[in-house]
Amino acid sequence: MNTLTEVVLPGKVEPEGLELRERPLPAPGPGQVVVAMEATGVSFAEQQMRRGKYYDQPPFPFVPGYDLVGTVLTTGDGVDRGLAGRRIAALTKVGSWASHVVLDAADVVPVPDGLGAEEAETAVVNGITAWQMLHRKARVRAGQTILVHGANGGVGSLLVQLAAQAGVRVIGTASKRHHEALRRLGVTPIDYRTEDISARVRELAPEGVDAVFDHVGGASVPASWKLLARGGTLVSYGSAATRDDEGSKQLPVLKILARVMLWNSLPNGRNAYFFNVWAGRSFAKNRFRARLREDLTQVFAALKDGTITAQVAARLPLSRVAEALRLAESGTVAGKVVLTP
């Protein structure tokens, strides 16, 4: 194998505007590995990136792909040769929509034996996001009640299962078609299309909820804040409501950050965060890597022992990336759309 195939995002395009490109397969440098991708995914980040709306995306053109699972093919100088042939996972932000990817060896996390590539892929960025929001930000405890927006989505579906594992009562928003599946997970569903979310949550939790996880952004953020009980925590981690808006890609996030700073200054015992999975990497890389490895290992263990179940919405090859992106953006699927070589 002397070449690799990758998907290039040339600019602000419709999904059909994504380009397939072949180029020579590079050799790993010192401290690096070459990974043969087995599964990567379509996340909300790529949906924003193709619109030029992800707040810190690189300039066009670039190869999207937020995470991957694959097998190490070759290792560079200074890397344990025993890593070759191992299945690993990695968080990349960009670059994973390719048949082969060069990574720093320090950034890869072993995937447990017996865990399939596609199954593991559903739990990389989605699992890390869910785990860290639940346990590192909100610090949920058994007996508490939380509200999860988009409880059927890639992050939401893992978050509700991890919360149930922790003995937490979950209220989740989703369209009607997903309610029965959510009930089987122990979630009390709310139809965000037809029900008044705030009124319904107040019926279910008159004193307020202990945490809200909000990927919607926009007007949903202050509404979520108002649903917190004293001592509660709001974790905002996206701006889905503004995905199709024109204008600055930073402004929706800056508005959320401004609200978070204001609310945290108030003497009401509540907390707010804007969650960024990359926080801390730029100034404490080793600590970031250690935390990522620790948390993703916990998620993989829960996936392997059946505590949480992988939600693969669809499997499509890189050559059908436009179809995969359309499907992920449709809002009709539960779980994650996975791309394979």
Side-chain angles (χ1 to χ4, degrees):
M1 179 73 68
N2 298 316
T3 62
L4 64 81
T5 302
E6 60 190 8
V7 176
V8 178
L9 181 58
K12 296 180 185 179
V13 296
E14 293 299 307
E16 291 73 20
L18 291 162
E19 300 170 356
L20 281 177
R21 177 176 72 186
E22 288 195 355
R23 63 181 178 89
L25 181 66
Q32 293 183 325
V33 294
V34 174
V35 177
M37 184 271 286
E38 295 177 84
T40 181
V42 183
S43 67
F44 183 69
E46 288 92 20
Q47 299 174 37
Q48 290 182 300
M49 286 178 186
R50 80 162 183 85
R51 296 168 168 83
K53 292 287 290 182
Y54 192 74
Y55 62 95
D56 64 346
Q57 68 187 73
F60 297 117
F62 63 91
V63 177
Y66 216 89
D67 60 357
L68 65 83
V69 171
T71 299
V72 176
L73 286 185
T74 55
T75 60
D77 291 343
V79 178
D80 178 7
R81 294 185 183 278
L83 201 55
R86 289 292 307 276
R87 176 171 284 164
I88 59 88
L91 203 59
T92 57
K93 188 181 288 189
V94 295
S96 287
W97 285 5
S99 62
H100 298 77
V101 181
V102 178
L103 300 170
D104 287 342
D107 288 328
V108 307
V109 178
V111 175
D113 292 339
L115 203 56
E118 295 173 14
E119 185 181 16
E121 163 56 27
T122 65
V124 185
V125 66
N126 290 348
I128 279 291
T129 299
W131 180 275
Q132 293 187 346
M133 290 195 304
L134 199 66
H135 295 295
R136 292 191 180 273
K137 293 300 182 185
R139 299 181 182 276
V140 298
R141 302 184 304 277
Q144 292 187 322
T145 299
I146 66 172
L147 170 64
V148 178
H149 288 288
N152 64 292
V155 173
S157 61
L158 291 181
L159 207 158
V160 300
Q161 292 179 78
L162 289 170
Q165 177 192 28
V168 174
R169 177 192 179 207
V170 182
I171 303 167
T173 69
S175 58
K176 190 74 173 178
R177 71 172 71 91
H178 301 295
H179 284 199
E180 188 53 43
L182 288 173
R183 288 190 185 97
R184 288 196 296 270
L185 295 175
V187 178
T188 302
I190 296 175
D191 188 344
Y192 68 90
R193 297 178 188 273
T194 62
E195 296 184 79
D196 182 325
I197 295 172
S198 295
R200 183 72 178 118
V201 171
R202 287 297 184 192
E203 289 178 14
L204 295 168
E207 302 301 318
V209 293
D210 298 292
V212 181
F213 300 91
D214 190 316
H215 74 299
V216 182
S220 178
V221 177
S224 292
W225 173 257
K226 293 175 182 177
L227 292 174
L228 291 176
R230 184 168 184 82
T233 301
L234 166 66
V235 186
S236 171
Y237 66 104
S239 53
T242 60
R243 185 188 70 179
D244 297 318
D245 291 356
E246 297 296 327
S248 168
K249 60 178 177 285
Q250 286 88 16
L251 189 57
V253 172
L254 291 174
K255 286 181 177 179
I256 295 172
L257 289 171
R259 290 184 185 278
V260 165
M261 291 176 64
L262 172 62
W263 289 332
N264 285 336
S265 70
L266 300 175
N268 56 24
R270 293 181 289 179
N271 300 293
Y273 298 97
F274 181 77
F275 179 81
N276 175 9
V277 72
W278 298 99
R281 181 178 170 83
S282 60
F283 59 84
K285 186 175 288 187
N286 288 339
R287 181 173 179 270
F288 173 87
R289 285 168 165 164
R291 185 175 61 185
L292 177 69
R293 180 179 292 260
E294 177 185 344
D295 295 348
L296 189 51
T297 298
Q298 294 267 22
V299 173
F300 282 157
L303 192 59
K304 186 174 179 179
D305 70 17
T307 300
I308 60 175
T309 303
Q311 299 281 331
V312 179
R315 302 165 178 83
L316 293 156
L318 282 176
S319 59
R320 294 170 63 186
V321 65
E323 183 181 344
L325 191 51
R326 287 281 186 201
L327 184 61
E329 293 185 3
S330 70
T332 62
V333 296
K336 190 162 189 176
V337 177
V338 172
L339 291 167
T340 65

